[in-house]
Amino acid sequence: MTVFQKKLLRFLGVVLLLTVLFAVGVLYFIGFFNAPQIELTEKGPYTLVCLSNTGPYYKTIKKSKKVTQMLAGTSVTILEPCGLYYDDPKTVPQNKLRSKGGVIVRGIVTAKPPLEIVMLPRRKVVVGTIKANPGLVEVKVYPKLHDWLWRKGLTAGTPFLEIYHKNGKVECQIPVAVPPADSTCAK
């Protein structure tokens, strides 16, 4: 092996090492290595100001940002950005997925179209919280939440609520569906 080949090999090794370290750093920064905390609790009530979205769920966060811009300069107190998700992306085509992007607000508010006000009552939910990029929630949190529900013999209701906290944590709330009352009569 020539001196040039040795230097080239060493250079390529350093480049490869730096690339791997950079990739691991990025994954760490976006929360890829974090695990969600899961709990069953009651949450709400919430008042949301939202914009509707039909189509891919990744556009929901853009709607939240738009609502924040539309409410800037008003007397509305914005607590946290959020997203409401109504459909299962595994069974509904992407162009038909329904969601709302918006913000959780304090107090009584009024909104003019296209803004909508959504009132979510206090409800029993399984919550998964993770410090990660919201784009990782689908692969890091929802599978764990669905597995937890399955192991407990519970069923997911809708809509799912995601709250994007200012501290970088994403809180995913899946309502626990109440099973229908047994309609059979004992004889």
Side-chain angles (χ1 to χ4, degrees):
M1 189 177 285
T2 67
V3 173
F4 173 75
Q5 289 173 327
K6 288 180 184 178
K7 286 183 179 182
L8 180 62
L9 194 57
R10 187 176 302 141
F11 173 75
L12 292 175
V14 169
V15 169
L16 178 63
L17 177 65
L18 290 175
T19 302
V20 168
L21 289 174
F22 177 76
V24 169
V26 168
L27 290 173
Y28 178 80
F29 179 76
I30 65 172
F32 183 79
F33 301 111
N34 295 342
Q37 307 256 318
I38 298 176
E39 69 174 327
L40 180 65
T41 188
E42 287 192 6
K43 293 279 192 164
Y46 298 110
T47 302
L48 286 62
V49 178
C50 304
L51 286 171
S52 288
N53 179 62
T54 301
Y57 277 163
Y58 72 85
K59 294 183 177 183
T60 306
I61 291 177
K62 293 177 184 177
K63 298 284 185 174
S64 295
K65 291 176 181 175
K66 179 74 173 166
V67 171
T68 301
Q69 292 170 350
M70 292 172 78
L71 293 176
T74 68
S75 61
V76 175
T77 303
I78 296 173
L79 301 177
E80 302 281 1
C82 65
L84 275 176
Y85 301 89
Y86 294 92
D87 300 306
D88 182 351
K90 292 177 185 165
T91 60
V92 176
Q94 279 227 343
N95 64 337
K96 303 238 189 242
L97 292 172
R98 297 168 301 136
S99 63
K100 295 179 189 294
V103 293
I104 299 172
V105 298
R106 178 178 296 139
I108 298 171
V109 295
T110 57
K112 295 180 183 172
L115 293 174
E116 303 172 48
I117 296 175
V118 176
M119 306 295 287
L120 282 181
R122 186 164 184 82
R123 57 194 188 153
K124 188 175 186 178
V125 292
V126 60
V127 179
T129 305
I130 190 168
K131 186 166 181 129
N133 181 292
L136 289 177
V137 167
E138 185 178 343
V139 295
K140 296 291 287 184
V141 180
Y142 284 113
K144 301 269 190 217
L145 290 174
H146 286 291
D147 182 57
W148 189 94
L149 285 164
W150 180 81
R151 283 186 286 113
K152 301 291 184 186
L154 300 171
T155 305
T158 58
F160 295 5
L161 175 64
E162 290 181 8
I163 303 173
Y164 313 110
H165 295 284
K166 293 173 182 76
N167 64 4
K169 289 187 177 182
V170 180
E171 179 180 329
C172 305
Q173 299 181 13
I174 297 179
V176 176
V178 178
D182 189 354
S183 59
T184 60
C185 296
K187 293 187 181 186

